[in-house]
Amino acid sequence: MQYSFSRVESYDSCPYKWYLHYLEHLQTLPTDDPQNPLFIGSALHKGIETDVQTALDEYFGNYPVINDDIITEAMKLEYWIPKVKALLPENCQHEVKIEDHLFHGFLDLLVPCTKLDAELEHGQFDLYDFKYSNSVEHYLQSNQLHVYKYELERITGKRIRNMFFMFIPKSTLKKGKMDSLEYRKMVM
């Protein structure tokens, strides 16, 4: 069995959950949570790679019924995707697959370093990972980027110069008695 960062993290958090998912191949039940990390994360990545409309199509496609909370999350995607794209360097490689008989993983973004840096050797890259989260401290203690760096260098021979997490903040605010329009203005 190949290992991946997700598989190791899953095992570390709950070996029984890992067993059910990776060995028994049981799937989790679908959810209608508008902030489902899998749905939001996939849509966010898709939008950063392509455009906002593609992200929204993917996000809305996960739900049989669209409610106010789902629309609010979609509005956040509309707001954040162009801002993230504006910060990214040119000539990026999105969703780079690295794999061999031991490891399987996807790098969110790989950016070749320019020749303008005289001290850089050919074949150096910057590595980015996107997080839709407010848990900055959690990820700063994570080994995820280090594992990806190690495996990319081991498998491909490419060298990583810098590693970055790009945080897209989750805005969470209790709706209370606000109407939907007022609430959406507050979370943006």
Side-chain angles (χ1 to χ4, degrees):
M1 173 188 283
Q2 292 173 313
Y3 85 94
S4 69
F5 185 79
S6 299
R7 287 179 180 180
V8 172
E9 190 175 56
S10 173
Y11 185 84
D12 282 347
S13 75
C14 180
Y16 188 63
K17 178 181 175 184
W18 175 88
Y19 168 79
L20 292 174
H21 183 76
Y22 291 105
L23 295 182
E24 294 296 324
H25 304 290
L26 296 178
Q27 300 298 314
T28 57
L29 294 172
T31 176
D32 61 352
D33 176 11
Q35 290 190 350
N36 179 312
L38 182 60
F39 298 165
I40 288 280
S42 295
L44 184 65
H45 282 87
K46 184 62 77 176
I48 292 168
E49 285 180 52
T50 58
D51 56 60
V52 172
Q53 189 57 52
T54 304
L56 294 177
D57 292 345
E58 178 162 324
Y59 178 67
F60 286 135
N62 291 304
Y63 300 98
V65 176
I66 306 301
N67 62 30
D68 277 348
D69 294 334
I70 292 168
I71 292 170
T72 300
E73 288 302 312
M75 291 173 69
K76 293 177 195 177
L77 289 170
E78 286 179 312
Y79 177 81
W80 282 111
I81 289 170
K83 290 191 176 304
V84 170
K85 289 179 80 162
L87 294 173
L88 296 178
E90 306 255 338
N91 303 322
C92 304
Q93 299 171 5
H94 293 272
E95 292 293 315
V96 176
K97 182 178 182 178
I98 52 173
E99 181 175 40
D100 69 1
H101 66 286
L102 295 174
F103 182 81
H104 171 81
F106 288 91
L107 311 177
D108 288 351
L109 191 71
L110 199 58
V111 181
C113 299
T114 64
K115 293 180 182 178
L116 298 176
D117 292 325
E119 73 275 4
L120 293 179
E121 296 177 22
H122 178 69
Q124 288 192 331
F125 295 81
D126 290 340
L127 172 62
Y128 290 75
D129 196 74
F130 305 118
K131 299 295 181 194
Y132 183 66
S133 175
N134 294 331
S135 301
V136 175
E137 289 301 319
H138 166 74
Y139 288 108
L140 292 179
Q141 294 176 17
S142 169
N143 294 325
Q144 182 178 12
L145 289 177
H146 297 281
V147 169
Y148 288 166
K149 175 187 185 303
Y150 173 80
E151 292 298 344
L152 178 77
E153 290 177 348
R154 183 182 67 78
I155 293 170
T156 69
K158 295 177 180 177
R159 295 289 170 237
I160 298 297
R161 178 180 69 165
N162 294 310
M163 301 178 294
F164 304 97
F165 281 117
M166 181 169 278
F167 291 97
I168 298 94
K170 272 187 179 181
S171 43
T172 54
L173 178 67
K174 298 293 181 199
K175 187 173 179 181
K177 296 183 181 184
M178 288 184 262
D179 67 18
S180 293
L181 184 59
E182 184 181 4
Y183 174 71
R184 288 180 186 148
K185 286 180 185 177
M186 296 288 290
V187 296
M188 300 305 285

